[in-house]
Amino acid sequence: MSQQRRGLGKGLGALIPTGPVPGSEPTQDPGESAALAQVDGARFAELPVKSISPNPKQPRRQFDEEALDELAASIGIVGLLQPVVVREVGPERYELIMGERRWRASQLAALESIPAIIRETGDNDMLRDALIENLHRQQLNALEEAAAYQQLLDDFGATHEQLASRIGRSRPHISNTLRLLNLPPAVQRRVAAGVLSAGHARALLSLDSVEAQEHLALRVVAEGLSVRAVEEIIATREAEPQAAAPRRVGSRRPAEPVLRELADRLSDRYETKVSVDRGKRKGKIVVEFASIEDLERIIKVMAPDAAAFVSADES
């Protein structure tokens, strides 16, 4: 039986070898390092937060303080899953290439060091392609896999199609794995530790409240429940904590199972988060997008003829 990976994953850091860092010792034994596929022009290391400075050419100047506080709280509990990408600018000094939001939140969380990919090549596409290739080769736990997917999407501009074709996985698998990052930190810790399986985690995602997800996760561990048993508990609405507070008048109703299933199918179809709600008189479908380019991609899937109007409005 292979040894259980310790602690939480490091996202893309799990895919590249640990390299020498000035003033530090390697954090990986020779056997593990030899098992990792090389990524030319990049190495992984834990760097002091104070040794990293922001990129002066970073076009983004405003950061949502509330969102940073939320990210810092999560990092304080589970650590930083997605390493930042930096370049060396001097002895034990580094400059951010990607990940300033994560770096800022890590400072708020009072972390002394964070995982980082130290890049020595100027070719983003080469580094991205090498990491995608290594993702196919490495044995990652579900959260490591999700963090690697998310970072490839966010920092390197990879698409769901690229990931699916390069690593031999389906697009729904990638979408479902990414949803694991929406679980509360306490549940994520159990998934990372191997106490909860990815199947358990995906089942818990169908619950609407954090309290219900954490409560049922505890039951899974305590009672050794199977994934099928968890799905039956959720279907029979027995997942809520017994001491849960009564629903306030006017609060949002939990999504019906058929609507949750429809939202999941639409999320897989459009490769983004989709919510489906039904009110007393009418319902609504909300499709999220990250940028104009992302909106164009979604519209091309929904209605190819309409995508041209979005491009025309932007030009």
Side-chain angles (χ1 to χ4, degrees):
M1 185 178 216
S2 61
Q3 185 177 358
Q4 174 66 40
R5 297 180 65 92
R6 61 181 180 81
L8 289 177
K10 296 290 195 298
L12 296 186
L15 307 181
I16 62 178
T18 300
V21 179
S24 67
E25 295 295 326
T27 59
Q28 210 168 301
D29 62 66
E32 185 178 359
S33 179
L36 290 169
Q38 292 289 330
V39 175
D40 293 335
R43 68 184 191 272
F44 173 76
E46 291 276 345
L47 299 180
V49 174
K50 293 182 179 179
S51 71
I52 303 172
S53 58
N55 187 339
K57 297 181 180 179
Q58 159 73 274
R60 185 177 185 181
R61 290 289 180 261
Q62 300 296 325
F63 293 86
D64 188 313
E65 295 297 332
E66 184 177 350
L68 275 179
D69 289 340
E70 291 178 358
L71 180 57
S74 176
I75 289 174
I77 297 174
V78 303
L80 185 60
L81 284 175
Q82 301 176 43
V84 298
V85 181
V86 301
R87 67 185 184 98
E88 195 166 6
V89 293
E92 299 184 24
R93 295 300 307 172
Y94 305 89
E95 184 179 272
L96 278 168
I97 297 174
M98 302 171 186
E100 183 169 343
R101 182 171 173 270
R102 296 191 295 277
W103 173 70
R104 288 175 178 268
S106 297
Q107 290 179 301
L108 292 177
L111 296 189
E112 294 184 359
S113 62
I114 57 175
I117 295 173
I118 304 172
R119 198 188 72 185
E120 300 169 357
T121 174
D123 191 337
N124 273 346
D125 291 339
M126 183 184 300
L127 178 57
R128 179 202 62 198
D129 292 344
L131 291 169
I132 291 177
E133 186 67 23
N134 279 358
L135 180 59
H136 177 65
R137 300 175 182 176
Q138 303 307 320
Q139 295 298 318
L140 308 180
N141 68 44
L143 275 184
E144 287 174 332
E145 186 179 351
Y149 289 166
Q150 190 63 58
Q151 190 162 358
L152 284 164
L153 294 171
D154 290 347
D155 286 351
F156 295 94
T159 65
H160 287 229
E161 289 88 350
Q162 286 176 321
L163 291 176
S165 62
R166 290 292 296 274
I167 65 176
R169 300 290 178 87
S170 67
R171 285 188 301 172
H173 169 84
I174 291 172
S175 298
N176 288 331
T177 302
L178 284 168
R179 290 196 191 105
L180 299 182
L181 298 176
N182 295 328
L183 288 167
V187 179
Q188 288 191 28
R189 280 204 306 271
R190 292 182 173 88
V191 176
V195 179
L196 291 177
S197 71
H200 286 115
R202 292 188 186 100
L204 293 174
L205 283 169
S206 63
L207 294 170
D208 292 311
S209 71
V210 170
E211 293 78 9
Q213 290 173 344
E214 292 178 343
H215 173 73
L216 187 51
L218 287 174
R219 284 191 60 186
V220 171
V221 176
E223 302 174 26
L225 299 174
S226 67
V227 175
R228 178 59 180 164
V230 172
E231 292 172 344
E232 291 177 352
I233 289 173
I234 294 172
T236 55
R237 300 180 180 276
E238 295 177 3
E240 291 288 344
Q242 294 182 355
R247 182 179 300 278
R248 292 177 296 177
V249 176
S251 63
R252 183 180 176 181
R253 297 184 302 169
E256 300 174 27
V258 65
L259 297 184
R260 286 200 300 264
E261 181 181 354
L262 177 59
D264 287 345
R265 289 168 57 189
L266 290 174
S267 296
D268 291 342
R269 171 63 174 162
Y270 300 128
E271 299 179 11
T272 189
K273 183 178 180 181
V274 178
S275 58
V276 181
D277 297 315
R278 187 178 71 172
K280 292 182 178 180
R281 297 183 178 179
K282 61 182 180 179
K284 64 179 179 180
I285 297 177
V286 179
V287 181
E288 297 184 3
F289 62 91
S291 63
I292 292 298
E293 291 76 15
D294 195 31
L295 175 60
E296 289 180 1
R297 177 189 61 78
I298 295 170
I299 291 178
K300 284 179 182 178
V301 179
M302 288 183 174
D305 294 339
F309 292 99
V310 178
S311 300
D313 290 340
E314 277 298 296
S315 57

